[in-house]
Amino acid sequence: MIFKLVGDGRPYPDHGLGQRDWAKIPPRQVRLDQLVTTKRVLALDLLLDEDSTFYGDLFPHVVEWDGTLYLEDGLHRAVRAALQQRTSIHARVYVLAAGHPGSPPSGEATIPRPAR
């Protein structure tokens, strides 16, 4: 099994982060088998394109919500890592804070929301 679950859509509330906000989050290592995808379909041309990150972030974007890690952006990077027999990737992980509209209450520590 590559991923924990293949999902379809984002079950968590909108976090409102833009590219600059994501860039402020330092990447950390995440195991592929802990990720739930938010897309069911992968564009094969992106998977095979060596320059697929030329205009985007080098690191996938992951949202941690209600104790689950959702792969929001970077599915092709994660699949490419799996094809190279790697079990983890470096990703930017945003912890959706308790008290965020639509978030469940939680006692876990969260990363403060980046300023806009």
Side-chain angles (χ1 to χ4, degrees):
M1 173 182 348
I2 296 174
F3 299 110
K4 180 178 180 179
L5 182 70
V6 175
D8 190 25
R10 302 173 185 171
Y12 49 87
D14 183 19
H15 47 65
L17 296 180
Q19 289 298 328
R20 288 185 181 180
D21 299 322
W22 279 107
K24 294 176 185 175
I25 300 172
R28 67 176 174 106
Q29 212 164 19
V30 178
R31 291 184 50 87
L32 294 174
D33 62 2
Q34 294 176 335
L35 295 173
V36 175
T37 69
T38 59
K39 298 176 185 171
R40 296 181 83 75
V41 179
L42 173 69
L44 188 57
D45 58 336
L46 290 178
L47 178 66
L48 299 175
D49 186 5
E50 291 181 21
D51 294 330
S52 64
T53 58
F54 184 74
Y55 293 106
D57 195 342
L58 292 175
F59 301 102
H61 297 170
V62 174
V63 174
E64 182 176 348
W65 182 64
D66 197 21
T68 302
L69 296 172
Y70 294 95
L71 180 61
E72 181 174 284
D73 181 47
L75 178 59
H76 61 288
R77 294 180 206 103
V79 171
R80 190 178 303 145
L83 290 172
Q84 294 170 348
Q85 298 184 353
R86 296 188 322 213
T87 58
S88 62
I89 56 172
H90 281 86
R92 299 184 193 279
V93 180
Y94 178 69
V95 180
L96 200 54
H100 186 283
S103 292
S106 171
E108 296 181 15
T110 59
I111 298 171
R113 185 171 176 171
R116 291 198 153 221

